[in-house]
Amino acid sequence: MNPTAQAILHFLLTWWVEIVCGVVIVAVLPLVAGYVVLVERKLMADMQARLGPMRVGPHGLLQPIADAVKLLIKEDIVPRDADGLIFWFAPVISMVAAMTSMGALAFGPTFQVARDINIGILFVVGVSSLGFLGIILGGWASNSHYSIIGAIRSTAQLVSYETAGGLAIVSALLLSGTLKIRAIVDAQYDHHVWFGFLAPVAFFTYLVASIAETNRAPFDLPEAESELVAGYMTEYSGFRWALYFLGEYANMIVVGSVATTLFLGGWLRPFPSVHWLDKPLGVLPALLIGGVGVYSIYRAGKQPVPIQTWFMWAVALACFAVAGIFAAPWVFAPLKFIIPGLNGAFWFLLKVGAYIYVFMWLRFTLPRYRFDQLMHLGWYILIPLAIVNVFAVGVALLLESEFGWNRWLALIVTTAFTLAIALFLVRLHDKRTTAGSSATAATTDSYAG
Amino acid sequence: MLDSILFYFFAGVAVLSAALMVTRRNAMHCAVFLITTLLATAGIFLQLRAEFLFIAQIILYVGGIMVLFIFVIMLVRLDVPIHQMRFRLQKWVAVFVALALGFEITTILLFARKLPGQGLFIQESFPADKLPPNSEALAQSLFSGYLLPFEIASVLLLVAMVGAVVMAKKKERTDES
Amino acid sequence: MADTVQDNATQQNGTLLGADELVLNMGPQHPSTHGVLRVKLKLDGERVRGTECVIGYLHRGVEKIAENRSYQQFAPYVDRMDYVAAVSNGLGYCEAVEKLLNVEAPPRAKVIRTILTELQRIASHLIWLGTHALDIGALTPLFYCFREREEILKIFEKYCGARLTTHAFRIGGLQYESYDSFEKDVERFCKDFERHIQEYVDLLTGNSIWIGRTRNVGVLNAADCIAIGASGPILRASGVKWDLRKAQPYAAYDQYKFEIPTGTNGDTYDRYMVRMEEMRQSRLICLQAIENIPEGPILGKVGKVLKPPAGEIYHSIEAPKGILGYYIVSDGGTQPYRVRIRPPSFVNLQALDKMTRGHLVADVVAIIGTLDIVLGEVDR
Amino acid sequence: MMSPAHYLFLSLALFLIGCIGVVTRRNVIVILMSIELILNAVNINLVLFSRIFGDAAGQVFALFIIADAAAEAAIGLGIIVAFFRNRETVLADEMDLLKW
């Protein structure tokens, strides 16, 4: 065999795990993003006393596939004197940024594309911050007035909330002491507590910053329908628009995974160190998915069209198959070794799902911030709070290591100190807006400058 | 084998996009090509086992400075027709001088070892596996050996921030109703 | 259209940075202008320097049509003006013509008319709340409001067969007797409505983002209101306690006890509170009214062919949007010589320029929402 | 491991392209970008020798260069924005305020 083929074979042999994981992520992501969209529409409908997509497939289960096909077929309109090269390239940037940052994430103790990079979390945050390059270039390239304003607004928002998010991550990293993702989760196992409880203010700041970073819920101003039609996405249609849309949802999953790894104990099951819970919580995933299968059989009978009943039966079978995989290691011993990987992935995805559920929940209930209020909240309240929190966690760790305070006592004292500062900031903010109650809200006009 | 493939890929991308950056007329295209060069050099840093610098380059350079450039290019509408691109002698003089400089340095690099006695001695490179973990080593020397420059750099950044804000601030309109 | 092309031309080569006056078109085709209203915003950066409304896209010449229709034939046209509160339009017109004929509608007709008008007021306010909240970004209230409005439309449909443009009233009284479960339906609606209003209050009233977006936005004080002639919730929100149902009682309003809610500093939040309170008051009126609907005929002594004596009258009622006035001139024939309608939305729309000055683009959307204008009524 | 000469040639090439960019381009923003390119070329050298000697000092210095590049870009663009506001031009050879 000639040397190049030999070298390629060697390369494949050493890296096949990473390549497989990578391919799985790239293939599964559009599907997962599609079904996250379906879940969001169903949840929104449920909260608004209506049914949501019901027509395509039973209970709208095939809706994402229908959406994907529609977007592929739709015509790609390029505005007249748009900047060809950048117009095509911008959505690709935001999609690629989201996907590469997913490469470093660990979806379970075993499932990780890039094994223990030394700068794990920093890599994820850094590459996902490339995403908003795609947004600003997209806004500029489509050469329409609305999209330029949308692009400038969304970039200003992303830049300011990324600082707050970064500082919140710093205070969590203080607790874990390392950047490696797997080491962070192990640190949470050693501390026998999730960092979300140890540094609640950091968790809350990161939650707010991540919502703003993915342009969602009360901060979804750049594409506020009522004013700027669709912000930087106005001129995009068909497949390019789908890329942006996918990029947004992939970003949401990335942000959810970072929060879960840092604050919600990654793939640790709820009470990791309580050993008598091992068996019940171990079997729980299999039971849950089996339950879903039984429910879909129950629904299969009620479908109006026979084809839908068949489809519901297929869904039921799929659920039972997955439940079988989860239950198999408990049944016969030799498969014992895959339990941590499988259950870990289950708990991780459950927590990411819960985190994204909070995103959606906020989207349906809260009205939208005005742009200057949004920037004001970011710069005057969130960033100072994050800085003070980094300082407070540092002091807490110092108190605990040098003066031998109990860890919990130190953290409670410092969190109280941070919350006092937060209250002061909020009151300062309220006094300022009510004081400036003249006809024009005397806020900094960040855009006009 | 993998190393050389990666190196030639990154080097090729870097040089090509740098050349394109210098020649493009539309400033936004220049910015995009500069971003590709920066990402390629970040790849080179990674190959030289400097991963903290790799991520610092991505976050600071591409995520920070280039966004600043793109913002200014967007605000300063440049599509005012640039008609003055007439042929100027200056361009060719510059290219010639650069090539002369390049030739000069390549001769030094290539023939250094051959000159007796005082050639450019390039030491055998440090074994890869005994390298300390990168970000820890960087932090170690940054906060112990180079603490003072670190503080000065932060002051420098503060001054730059204040200067930029003051300069770019629009004079508050007097008729602000 | 020439000037706008010129406006945009100057704006094109002005760079974003050095732009002096940027003219942004919130064109007739815009998701938040409640119909075909075009607003030309003169912007300095993001701050609004001035607005100019361009209307007339929905002009159908209703008043000219009235001149060659008989009095009864013109009644359905009136519903098409404020298509969101058709019943109140009908009430206004019928009472105006009855005044012309100086005929009095029988007491039973008056009470049923009052109940239907108050239900229509609640339905109109529900549409306002839903779309206003949607413009400011809250997606959910819209569906709750439309769920309640559906109940009201069911009652209308059972009563007169139509949901939106009902043509429920006739000159001189009513056409249809109230169907047998009328009282029960209205009572069931009013009982549920108490709980539903609480849902809106939970969603919006205490919400700090909602307060942030509405407090001190689009302030219109009492003097400006009166100068512009604004009426309805906008007038009452700036502190003027003026409601025709109390000032010049018509139909059966004098028989019922209800308060007139007023605000203090006339901003969007006060208008929101005033309209929410008005919905509660309307509910109380309906409850009091269905206790005793008097027996008796439902149509007064009005002949088939109406030839009112020559003369003119002006009669106004309190429509959900404000004072809706009818000025009818008759020359003794079967067709009115002239019908002039004073729509509240048209008058209230004038306040848009004064209210939006100095605000941001996002506020313009909130202000258009709080004005609660319907373009069918503005353009007639 | 690629021999250090390769990296030196790469940084030399980038440095030369940067110099050509600074000298020939008329648009001040592109000149600033070429300066960023030159700083980047220098960074490659620093990181190379930090890798050869196994000492992190080179990378620390590269970090300082990035910080300095950020400050320089902020100030440079601030000047350009201020200049553009009252001269409506960004081309280097039209910035001849001293010529009367």
mmCIF file with all atom_site columns, all heavy atoms in Angstrom, chain B residues 22 24 38 53 61 106 123 126 134 141, chain D residues 9 25 36 40 51-53 59-60:
data_model
loop_
_atom_site.group_PDB
_atom_site.id
_atom_site.type_symbol
_atom_site.label_atom_id
_atom_site.label_alt_id
_atom_site.label_comp_id
_atom_site.label_asym_id
_atom_site.label_entity_id
_atom_site.label_seq_id
_atom_site.pdbx_PDB_ins_code
_atom_site.Cartn_x
_atom_site.Cartn_y
_atom_site.Cartn_z
_atom_site.occupancy
_atom_site.B_iso_or_equiv
_atom_site.pdbx_formal_charge
_atom_site.auth_seq_id
_atom_site.auth_comp_id
_atom_site.auth_asym_id
_atom_site.auth_atom_id
_atom_site.pdbx_PDB_model_num
ATOM 1   N N   . VAL B 1 22  ? -5.457  43.218 0.183  1.00 0.00 ? 22  VAL B N   1
ATOM 2   C CA  . VAL B 1 22  ? -4.758  44.457 -0.196 1.00 0.00 ? 22  VAL B CA  1
ATOM 3   C C   . VAL B 1 22  ? -5.260  44.953 -1.546 1.00 0.00 ? 22  VAL B C   1
ATOM 4   O O   . VAL B 1 22  ? -5.305  46.146 -1.797 1.00 0.00 ? 22  VAL B O   1
ATOM 5   C CB  . VAL B 1 22  ? -3.229  44.174 -0.245 1.00 0.00 ? 22  VAL B CB  1
ATOM 6   C CG1 . VAL B 1 22  ? -2.507  45.362 -0.837 1.00 0.00 ? 22  VAL B CG1 1
ATOM 7   C CG2 . VAL B 1 22  ? -2.732  43.861 1.136  1.00 0.00 ? 22  VAL B CG2 1
ATOM 8   N N   . ARG B 1 24  ? -8.440  44.349 -3.012 1.00 0.00 ? 24  ARG B N   1
ATOM 9   C CA  . ARG B 1 24  ? -9.891  44.575 -3.280 1.00 0.00 ? 24  ARG B CA  1
ATOM 10  C C   . ARG B 1 24  ? -10.215 46.066 -3.235 1.00 0.00 ? 24  ARG B C   1
ATOM 11  O O   . ARG B 1 24  ? -9.629  46.806 -2.444 1.00 0.00 ? 24  ARG B O   1
ATOM 12  C CB  . ARG B 1 24  ? -10.733 43.909 -2.182 1.00 0.00 ? 24  ARG B CB  1
ATOM 13  C CG  . ARG B 1 24  ? -10.829 42.398 -2.245 1.00 0.00 ? 24  ARG B CG  1
ATOM 14  C CD  . ARG B 1 24  ? -11.308 41.892 -3.551 1.00 0.00 ? 24  ARG B CD  1
ATOM 15  N NE  . ARG B 1 24  ? -10.175 41.494 -4.351 1.00 0.00 ? 24  ARG B NE  1
ATOM 16  C CZ  . ARG B 1 24  ? -10.260 41.295 -5.663 1.00 0.00 ? 24  ARG B CZ  1
ATOM 17  N NH1 . ARG B 1 24  ? -11.382 41.524 -6.295 1.00 0.00 ? 24  ARG B NH1 1
ATOM 18  N NH2 . ARG B 1 24  ? -9.218  40.936 -6.350 1.00 0.00 ? 24  ARG B NH2 1
ATOM 19  N N   . LEU B 1 38  ? -6.925  36.324 9.509  1.00 0.00 ? 38  LEU B N   1
ATOM 20  C CA  . LEU B 1 38  ? -6.751  36.197 10.968 1.00 0.00 ? 38  LEU B CA  1
ATOM 21  C C   . LEU B 1 38  ? -7.100  34.783 11.410 1.00 0.00 ? 38  LEU B C   1
ATOM 22  O O   . LEU B 1 38  ? -6.407  34.172 12.222 1.00 0.00 ? 38  LEU B O   1
ATOM 23  C CB  . LEU B 1 38  ? -7.652  37.221 11.672 1.00 0.00 ? 38  LEU B CB  1
ATOM 24  C CG  . LEU B 1 38  ? -7.272  38.689 11.443 1.00 0.00 ? 38  LEU B CG  1
ATOM 25  C CD1 . LEU B 1 38  ? -8.271  39.612 12.098 1.00 0.00 ? 38  LEU B CD1 1
ATOM 26  C CD2 . LEU B 1 38  ? -5.876  38.955 11.954 1.00 0.00 ? 38  LEU B CD2 1
ATOM 27  N N   . LEU B 1 53  ? -3.712  31.405 22.751 1.00 0.00 ? 53  LEU B N   1
ATOM 28  C CA  . LEU B 1 53  ? -3.581  32.514 21.807 1.00 0.00 ? 53  LEU B CA  1
ATOM 29  C C   . LEU B 1 53  ? -4.542  32.319 20.630 1.00 0.00 ? 53  LEU B C   1
ATOM 30  O O   . LEU B 1 53  ? -5.112  33.280 20.115 1.00 0.00 ? 53  LEU B O   1
ATOM 31  C CB  . LEU B 1 53  ? -2.125  32.579 21.302 1.00 0.00 ? 53  LEU B CB  1
ATOM 32  C CG  . LEU B 1 53  ? -1.611  34.010 21.150 1.00 0.00 ? 53  LEU B CG  1
ATOM 33  C CD1 . LEU B 1 53  ? -1.742  34.759 22.458 1.00 0.00 ? 53  LEU B CD1 1
ATOM 34  C CD2 . LEU B 1 53  ? -0.185  34.010 20.685 1.00 0.00 ? 53  LEU B CD2 1
ATOM 35  N N   . TYR B 1 61  ? -9.485  39.490 18.216 1.00 0.00 ? 61  TYR B N   1
ATOM 36  C CA  . TYR B 1 61  ? -9.250  40.077 16.878 1.00 0.00 ? 61  TYR B CA  1
ATOM 37  C C   . TYR B 1 61  ? -10.507 40.023 16.029 1.00 0.00 ? 61  TYR B C   1
ATOM 38  O O   . TYR B 1 61  ? -11.070 41.046 15.630 1.00 0.00 ? 61  TYR B O   1
ATOM 39  C CB  . TYR B 1 61  ? -8.133  39.300 16.165 1.00 0.00 ? 61  TYR B CB  1
ATOM 40  C CG  . TYR B 1 61  ? -6.871  40.121 15.974 1.00 0.00 ? 61  TYR B CG  1
ATOM 41  C CD1 . TYR B 1 61  ? -5.682  39.761 16.581 1.00 0.00 ? 61  TYR B CD1 1
ATOM 42  C CD2 . TYR B 1 61  ? -6.907  41.267 15.198 1.00 0.00 ? 61  TYR B CD2 1
ATOM 43  C CE1 . TYR B 1 61  ? -4.543  40.523 16.399 1.00 0.00 ? 61  TYR B CE1 1
ATOM 44  C CE2 . TYR B 1 61  ? -5.773  42.031 15.016 1.00 0.00 ? 61  TYR B CE2 1
ATOM 45  C CZ  . TYR B 1 61  ? -4.580  41.655 15.617 1.00 0.00 ? 61  TYR B CZ  1
ATOM 46  O OH  . TYR B 1 61  ? -3.456  42.412 15.451 1.00 0.00 ? 61  TYR B OH  1
ATOM 47  N N   . THR B 1 106 ? 15.217  36.782 2.714  1.00 0.00 ? 106 THR B N   1
ATOM 48  C CA  . THR B 1 106 ? 15.315  35.353 2.371  1.00 0.00 ? 106 THR B CA  1
ATOM 49  C C   . THR B 1 106 ? 16.778  34.936 2.273  1.00 0.00 ? 106 THR B C   1
ATOM 50  O O   . THR B 1 106 ? 17.157  33.868 2.760  1.00 0.00 ? 106 THR B O   1
ATOM 51  C CB  . THR B 1 106 ? 14.643  35.086 1.013  1.00 0.00 ? 106 THR B CB  1
ATOM 52  O OG1 . THR B 1 106 ? 14.886  36.210 0.168  1.00 0.00 ? 106 THR B OG1 1
ATOM 53  C CG2 . THR B 1 106 ? 13.154  34.865 1.175  1.00 0.00 ? 106 THR B CG2 1
ATOM 54  N N   . GLN B 1 123 ? 18.075  26.742 17.166 1.00 0.00 ? 123 GLN B N   1
ATOM 55  C CA  . GLN B 1 123 ? 18.250  25.647 18.127 1.00 0.00 ? 123 GLN B CA  1
ATOM 56  C C   . GLN B 1 123 ? 17.257  24.536 17.821 1.00 0.00 ? 123 GLN B C   1
ATOM 57  O O   . GLN B 1 123 ? 16.213  24.775 17.192 1.00 0.00 ? 123 GLN B O   1
ATOM 58  C CB  . GLN B 1 123 ? 17.961  26.249 19.511 1.00 0.00 ? 123 GLN B CB  1
ATOM 59  C CG  . GLN B 1 123 ? 18.125  25.315 20.673 1.00 0.00 ? 123 GLN B CG  1
ATOM 60  C CD  . GLN B 1 123 ? 17.322  25.852 21.862 1.00 0.00 ? 123 GLN B CD  1
ATOM 61  O OE1 . GLN B 1 123 ? 16.678  26.882 21.741 1.00 0.00 ? 123 GLN B OE1 1
ATOM 62  N NE2 . GLN B 1 123 ? 17.351  25.136 22.971 1.00 0.00 ? 123 GLN B NE2 1
ATOM 63  N N   . PHE B 1 126 ? 11.901  22.583 21.155 1.00 0.00 ? 126 PHE B N   1
ATOM 64  C CA  . PHE B 1 126 ? 11.588  21.980 22.440 1.00 0.00 ? 126 PHE B CA  1
ATOM 65  C C   . PHE B 1 126 ? 10.730  20.744 22.186 1.00 0.00 ? 126 PHE B C   1
ATOM 66  O O   . PHE B 1 126 ? 9.820   20.787 21.367 1.00 0.00 ? 126 PHE B O   1
ATOM 67  C CB  . PHE B 1 126 ? 10.798  23.010 23.265 1.00 0.00 ? 126 PHE B CB  1
ATOM 68  C CG  . PHE B 1 126 ? 10.785  22.689 24.739 1.00 0.00 ? 126 PHE B CG  1
ATOM 69  C CD1 . PHE B 1 126 ? 11.862  23.056 25.543 1.00 0.00 ? 126 PHE B CD1 1
ATOM 70  C CD2 . PHE B 1 126 ? 9.717   22.010 25.290 1.00 0.00 ? 126 PHE B CD2 1
ATOM 71  C CE1 . PHE B 1 126 ? 11.852  22.758 26.904 1.00 0.00 ? 126 PHE B CE1 1
ATOM 72  C CE2 . PHE B 1 126 ? 9.713   21.720 26.651 1.00 0.00 ? 126 PHE B CE2 1
ATOM 73  C CZ  . PHE B 1 126 ? 10.775  22.091 27.454 1.00 0.00 ? 126 PHE B CZ  1
ATOM 74  N N   . ASN B 1 134 ? -0.758  24.760 28.059 1.00 0.00 ? 134 ASN B N   1
ATOM 75  C CA  . ASN B 1 134 ? -0.514  26.098 27.517 1.00 0.00 ? 134 ASN B CA  1
ATOM 76  C C   . ASN B 1 134 ? -1.114  27.203 28.344 1.00 0.00 ? 134 ASN B C   1
ATOM 77  O O   . ASN B 1 134 ? -0.399  28.115 28.767 1.00 0.00 ? 134 ASN B O   1
ATOM 78  C CB  . ASN B 1 134 ? -1.082  26.117 26.083 1.00 0.00 ? 134 ASN B CB  1
ATOM 79  C CG  . ASN B 1 134 ? -0.898  27.495 25.478 1.00 0.00 ? 134 ASN B CG  1
ATOM 80  O OD1 . ASN B 1 134 ? -1.776  28.320 25.579 1.00 0.00 ? 134 ASN B OD1 1
ATOM 81  N ND2 . ASN B 1 134 ? 0.275   27.697 24.912 1.00 0.00 ? 134 ASN B ND2 1
ATOM 82  N N   . SER B 1 141 ? 3.237   32.892 33.682 1.00 0.00 ? 141 SER B N   1
ATOM 83  C CA  . SER B 1 141 ? 4.254   33.938 33.415 1.00 0.00 ? 141 SER B CA  1
ATOM 84  C C   . SER B 1 141 ? 3.581   35.294 33.301 1.00 0.00 ? 141 SER B C   1
ATOM 85  O O   . SER B 1 141 ? 4.135   36.318 33.710 1.00 0.00 ? 141 SER B O   1
ATOM 86  C CB  . SER B 1 141 ? 4.995   33.607 32.117 1.00 0.00 ? 141 SER B CB  1
ATOM 87  O OG  . SER B 1 141 ? 4.084   33.720 31.058 1.00 0.00 ? 141 SER B OG  1
ATOM 88  N N   . PHE D 2 9   ? 9.185   32.175 6.824  1.00 0.00 ? 9   PHE D N   1
ATOM 89  C CA  . PHE D 2 9   ? 8.823   32.647 5.466  1.00 0.00 ? 9   PHE D CA  1
ATOM 90  C C   . PHE D 2 9   ? 7.378   33.112 5.429  1.00 0.00 ? 9   PHE D C   1
ATOM 91  O O   . PHE D 2 9   ? 7.037   34.155 4.859  1.00 0.00 ? 9   PHE D O   1
ATOM 92  C CB  . PHE D 2 9   ? 9.037   31.518 4.440  1.00 0.00 ? 9   PHE D CB  1
ATOM 93  C CG  . PHE D 2 9   ? 10.452  31.420 3.985  1.00 0.00 ? 9   PHE D CG  1
ATOM 94  C CD1 . PHE D 2 9   ? 11.210  30.295 4.249  1.00 0.00 ? 9   PHE D CD1 1
ATOM 95  C CD2 . PHE D 2 9   ? 11.024  32.489 3.303  1.00 0.00 ? 9   PHE D CD2 1
ATOM 96  C CE1 . PHE D 2 9   ? 12.528  30.234 3.851  1.00 0.00 ? 9   PHE D CE1 1
ATOM 97  C CE2 . PHE D 2 9   ? 12.338  32.423 2.895  1.00 0.00 ? 9   PHE D CE2 1
ATOM 98  C CZ  . PHE D 2 9   ? 13.097  31.300 3.173  1.00 0.00 ? 9   PHE D CZ  1
ATOM 99  N N   . ARG D 2 25  ? -2.387  51.623 -0.569 1.00 0.00 ? 25  ARG D N   1
ATOM 100 C CA  . ARG D 2 25  ? -3.843  51.849 -0.550 1.00 0.00 ? 25  ARG D CA  1
ATOM 101 C C   . ARG D 2 25  ? -4.168  53.293 -0.206 1.00 0.00 ? 25  ARG D C   1
ATOM 102 O O   . ARG D 2 25  ? -3.473  53.923 0.592  1.00 0.00 ? 25  ARG D O   1
ATOM 103 C CB  . ARG D 2 25  ? -4.502  50.936 0.505  1.00 0.00 ? 25  ARG D CB  1
ATOM 104 C CG  . ARG D 2 25  ? -4.601  49.497 0.046  1.00 0.00 ? 25  ARG D CG  1
ATOM 105 C CD  . ARG D 2 25  ? -5.260  49.384 -1.281 1.00 0.00 ? 25  ARG D CD  1
ATOM 106 N NE  . ARG D 2 25  ? -6.674  49.765 -1.251 1.00 0.00 ? 25  ARG D NE  1
ATOM 107 C CZ  . ARG D 2 25  ? -7.683  48.913 -1.481 1.00 0.00 ? 25  ARG D CZ  1
ATOM 108 N NH1 . ARG D 2 25  ? -7.415  47.656 -1.718 1.00 0.00 ? 25  ARG D NH1 1
ATOM 109 N NH2 . ARG D 2 25  ? -8.927  49.322 -1.460 1.00 0.00 ? 25  ARG D NH2 1
ATOM 110 N N   . GLU D 2 36  ? -2.939  46.019 10.916 1.00 0.00 ? 36  GLU D N   1
ATOM 111 C CA  . GLU D 2 36  ? -3.331  44.842 11.724 1.00 0.00 ? 36  GLU D CA  1
ATOM 112 C C   . GLU D 2 36  ? -2.665  43.585 11.161 1.00 0.00 ? 36  GLU D C   1
ATOM 113 O O   . GLU D 2 36  ? -2.190  42.722 11.905 1.00 0.00 ? 36  GLU D O   1
ATOM 114 C CB  . GLU D 2 36  ? -4.859  44.653 11.662 1.00 0.00 ? 36  GLU D CB  1
ATOM 115 C CG  . GLU D 2 36  ? -5.691  45.810 12.177 1.00 0.00 ? 36  GLU D CG  1
ATOM 116 C CD  . GLU D 2 36  ? -5.582  45.947 13.689 1.00 0.00 ? 36  GLU D CD  1
ATOM 117 O OE1 . GLU D 2 36  ? -5.378  44.913 14.349 1.00 0.00 ? 36  GLU D OE1 1
ATOM 118 O OE2 . GLU D 2 36  ? -5.649  47.086 14.189 1.00 0.00 ? 36  GLU D OE2 1
ATOM 119 N N   . ASN D 2 40  ? -0.077  41.008 12.933 1.00 0.00 ? 40  ASN D N   1
ATOM 120 C CA  . ASN D 2 40  ? -0.328  39.572 12.968 1.00 0.00 ? 40  ASN D CA  1
ATOM 121 C C   . ASN D 2 40  ? 0.892   38.782 12.546 1.00 0.00 ? 40  ASN D C   1
ATOM 122 O O   . ASN D 2 40  ? 1.247   37.755 13.146 1.00 0.00 ? 40  ASN D O   1
ATOM 123 C CB  . ASN D 2 40  ? -1.493  39.279 12.002 1.00 0.00 ? 40  ASN D CB  1
ATOM 124 C CG  . ASN D 2 40  ? -2.438  38.285 12.619 1.00 0.00 ? 40  ASN D CG  1
ATOM 125 O OD1 . ASN D 2 40  ? -2.005  37.400 13.346 1.00 0.00 ? 40  ASN D OD1 1
ATOM 126 N ND2 . ASN D 2 40  ? -3.709  38.463 12.366 1.00 0.00 ? 40  ASN D ND2 1
ATOM 127 N N   . ARG D 2 51  ? 7.418   28.671 20.899 1.00 0.00 ? 51  ARG D N   1
ATOM 128 C CA  . ARG D 2 51  ? 7.276   27.216 20.791 1.00 0.00 ? 51  ARG D CA  1
ATOM 129 C C   . ARG D 2 51  ? 8.656   26.575 20.779 1.00 0.00 ? 51  ARG D C   1
ATOM 130 O O   . ARG D 2 51  ? 8.897   25.558 21.449 1.00 0.00 ? 51  ARG D O   1
ATOM 131 C CB  . ARG D 2 51  ? 6.526   26.883 19.496 1.00 0.00 ? 51  ARG D CB  1
ATOM 132 C CG  . ARG D 2 51  ? 6.571   25.431 19.075 1.00 0.00 ? 51  ARG D CG  1
ATOM 133 C CD  . ARG D 2 51  ? 5.728   24.588 19.995 1.00 0.00 ? 51  ARG D CD  1
ATOM 134 N NE  . ARG D 2 51  ? 5.821   23.175 19.652 1.00 0.00 ? 51  ARG D NE  1
ATOM 135 C CZ  . ARG D 2 51  ? 6.844   22.378 20.024 1.00 0.00 ? 51  ARG D CZ  1
ATOM 136 N NH1 . ARG D 2 51  ? 7.852   22.864 20.723 1.00 0.00 ? 51  ARG D NH1 1
ATOM 137 N NH2 . ARG D 2 51  ? 6.869   21.122 19.683 1.00 0.00 ? 51  ARG D NH2 1
ATOM 138 N N   . ILE D 2 52  ? 9.635   27.179 20.054 1.00 0.00 ? 52  ILE D N   1
ATOM 139 C CA  . ILE D 2 52  ? 10.968  26.555 19.931 1.00 0.00 ? 52  ILE D CA  1
ATOM 140 C C   . ILE D 2 52  ? 11.628  26.518 21.303 1.00 0.00 ? 52  ILE D C   1
ATOM 141 O O   . ILE D 2 52  ? 12.132  25.483 21.747 1.00 0.00 ? 52  ILE D O   1
ATOM 142 C CB  . ILE D 2 52  ? 11.823  27.350 18.907 1.00 0.00 ? 52  ILE D CB  1
ATOM 143 C CG1 . ILE D 2 52  ? 11.284  27.089 17.496 1.00 0.00 ? 52  ILE D CG1 1
ATOM 144 C CG2 . ILE D 2 52  ? 13.284  26.957 19.006 1.00 0.00 ? 52  ILE D CG2 1
ATOM 145 C CD1 . ILE D 2 52  ? 11.955  27.899 16.428 1.00 0.00 ? 52  ILE D CD1 1
ATOM 146 N N   . PHE D 2 53  ? 11.542  27.626 22.042 1.00 0.00 ? 53  PHE D N   1
ATOM 147 C CA  . PHE D 2 53  ? 12.270  27.629 23.328 1.00 0.00 ? 53  PHE D CA  1
ATOM 148 C C   . PHE D 2 53  ? 11.396  27.092 24.458 1.00 0.00 ? 53  PHE D C   1
ATOM 149 O O   . PHE D 2 53  ? 11.801  27.084 25.606 1.00 0.00 ? 53  PHE D O   1
ATOM 150 C CB  . PHE D 2 53  ? 12.731  29.057 23.657 1.00 0.00 ? 53  PHE D CB  1
ATOM 151 C CG  . PHE D 2 53  ? 13.674  29.609 22.624 1.00 0.00 ? 53  PHE D CG  1
ATOM 152 C CD1 . PHE D 2 53  ? 13.352  30.745 21.908 1.00 0.00 ? 53  PHE D CD1 1
ATOM 153 C CD2 . PHE D 2 53  ? 14.845  28.924 22.309 1.00 0.00 ? 53  PHE D CD2 1
ATOM 154 C CE1 . PHE D 2 53  ? 14.192  31.218 20.929 1.00 0.00 ? 53  PHE D CE1 1
ATOM 155 C CE2 . PHE D 2 53  ? 15.689  29.410 21.325 1.00 0.00 ? 53  PHE D CE2 1
ATOM 156 C CZ  . PHE D 2 53  ? 15.351  30.558 20.621 1.00 0.00 ? 53  PHE D CZ  1
ATOM 157 N N   . GLN D 2 59  ? 4.419   34.057 23.913 1.00 0.00 ? 59  GLN D N   1
ATOM 158 C CA  . GLN D 2 59  ? 2.952   34.131 23.778 1.00 0.00 ? 59  GLN D CA  1
ATOM 159 C C   . GLN D 2 59  ? 2.401   35.272 24.620 1.00 0.00 ? 59  GLN D C   1
ATOM 160 O O   . GLN D 2 59  ? 1.446   35.954 24.252 1.00 0.00 ? 59  GLN D O   1
ATOM 161 C CB  . GLN D 2 59  ? 2.354   32.793 24.189 1.00 0.00 ? 59  GLN D CB  1
ATOM 162 C CG  . GLN D 2 59  ? 2.680   31.703 23.189 1.00 0.00 ? 59  GLN D CG  1
ATOM 163 C CD  . GLN D 2 59  ? 2.213   30.351 23.678 1.00 0.00 ? 59  GLN D CD  1
ATOM 164 O OE1 . GLN D 2 59  ? 1.325   30.265 24.516 1.00 0.00 ? 59  GLN D OE1 1
ATOM 165 N NE2 . GLN D 2 59  ? 2.824   29.305 23.158 1.00 0.00 ? 59  GLN D NE2 1
ATOM 166 N N   . VAL D 2 60  ? 3.021   35.520 25.771 1.00 0.00 ? 60  VAL D N   1
ATOM 167 C CA  . VAL D 2 60  ? 2.546   36.637 26.602 1.00 0.00 ? 60  VAL D CA  1
ATOM 168 C C   . VAL D 2 60  ? 2.688   37.935 25.808 1.00 0.00 ? 60  VAL D C   1
ATOM 169 O O   . VAL D 2 60  ? 1.759   38.749 25.727 1.00 0.00 ? 60  VAL D O   1
ATOM 170 C CB  . VAL D 2 60  ? 3.373   36.705 27.909 1.00 0.00 ? 60  VAL D CB  1
ATOM 171 C CG1 . VAL D 2 60  ? 3.183   38.038 28.588 1.00 0.00 ? 60  VAL D CG1 1
ATOM 172 C CG2 . VAL D 2 60  ? 2.998   35.554 28.814 1.00 0.00 ? 60  VAL D CG2 1
#
